[in-house]
Amino acid sequence: MAEQSLSGLTEQQAKEFHEQFKVTYTAFVGLAALAHLFV
């Protein structure tokens, strides 16, 4: 059985989630910065 963390994800699943999270977070911050510039 694969070892799981408190979140219930395996290390590989956590790494995949983190990669997607970084992309999404970067896009959000970029859009927020643009919105602030326009205001």
Side-chain angles (χ1 to χ4, degrees):
M1 181 174 159
E3 195 175 321
Q4 293 196 345
S5 65
L6 293 175
S7 67
L9 298 175
T10 63
E11 184 175 352
Q12 182 61 34
Q13 289 172 325
K15 286 181 179 181
E16 289 173 12
F17 175 83
H18 186 246
E19 288 301 316
Q20 185 60 49
F21 181 83
K22 286 192 297 187
V23 170
T24 304
Y25 182 77
T26 302
F28 174 78
V29 170
L31 287 171
L34 269 174
H36 280 80
L37 286 173
F38 286 124
V39 171

